[in-house]
């Protein structure tokens, strides 16, 4: 069946990835990409949380509540299972053939988490995220 004929949907209402996770994916897939960093837009996340280090800290967030800015409260549900879309060509990003395979080999084919909104509000770039 052609990809265009397959229904697509997001696993949850809000998706989050971290800069630490992006660095981990880049390090794992770096050899195939010639060392180039992985564009966060490939993962179509609603929020990119800036964290030091590498690894997948978000994998341990299920059940936790996160306040972003002054009003928004999210409850993290679980890690996001990824599909072939992360390797497909997107706006300025060329096709890749390594990201899904890399995540399957190193992180149970997950990257990022999805969350539900417990309290809605307005977010702006640079808002601080804190655990409740």
């Amino acid at each position: 069946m052609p990809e265009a004929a397959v229904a697509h949907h997001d696993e949850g209402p809000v998706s989050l990835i971290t800069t630490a996770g992006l660095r981990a994916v880049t390090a794992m897939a770096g050899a195939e990409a010639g060392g180039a960093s992985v564009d966060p837009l490939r993962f179509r996340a609603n929020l990119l949380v800036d964290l030091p280090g590498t690894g997948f800290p978000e994998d341990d967030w299920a059940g936790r509540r996160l306040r972003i800015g002054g009003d928004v409260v999210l409850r993290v549900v679980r890690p996001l299972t990824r599909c072939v879309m992360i390797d497909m060509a997107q706006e300025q990003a060329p096709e890749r053939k390594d990201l899904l395979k890399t995540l399957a080999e190193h992180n149970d084919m997950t990257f990022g988490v999805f969350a539900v909104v417990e309290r809605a509000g307005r977010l702006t770039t640079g808002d601080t995220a804190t655990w409740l």
Side-chain angles (χ1 to χ4, degrees):
M1 176 180 290
E3 183 68 27
V6 177
H8 293 88
H9 65 279
D10 292 328
E11 290 187 74
V14 179
S15 62
L16 293 87
I17 60 173
T18 65
T19 54
L22 281 171
R23 285 188 291 276
V25 171
T26 295
M28 289 184 281
E32 279 218 27
S37 63
V38 176
D39 188 335
L41 296 176
R42 288 192 169 278
F43 300 98
R44 303 173 321 277
N46 299 106
L47 297 169
L48 174 62
V49 179
D50 187 21
L51 291 178
T54 61
F56 299 97
E58 60 272 30
D59 286 353
D60 298 323
W61 293 358
R64 296 186 74 184
R65 296 171 67 231
L66 184 65
R67 172 176 287 137
I68 303 174
D71 298 318
V72 176
V73 176
L74 304 175
R75 183 176 43 82
V76 178
V77 176
R78 66 175 171 78
L80 281 164
T81 304
R82 295 300 175 166
C83 70
V84 70
M85 294 297 291
I86 64 173
D87 280 327
M88 297 181 83
Q90 300 177 32
E91 293 185 24
Q92 297 103 335
E95 179 182 63
R96 292 187 63 141
K97 297 184 187 289
D98 62 326
L99 295 177
L100 188 60
K101 179 180 177 184
T102 297
L103 289 174
E105 291 174 356
H106 298 282
N107 206 44
D108 295 326
M109 214 158 72
T110 66
F111 178 52
V113 293
F114 85 81
V116 294
V117 178
E118 288 193 350
R119 188 168 58 208
R122 181 176 289 258
L123 299 176
T124 59
T125 300
D127 278 349
T128 301
T130 55
W131 294 112
L132 297 176

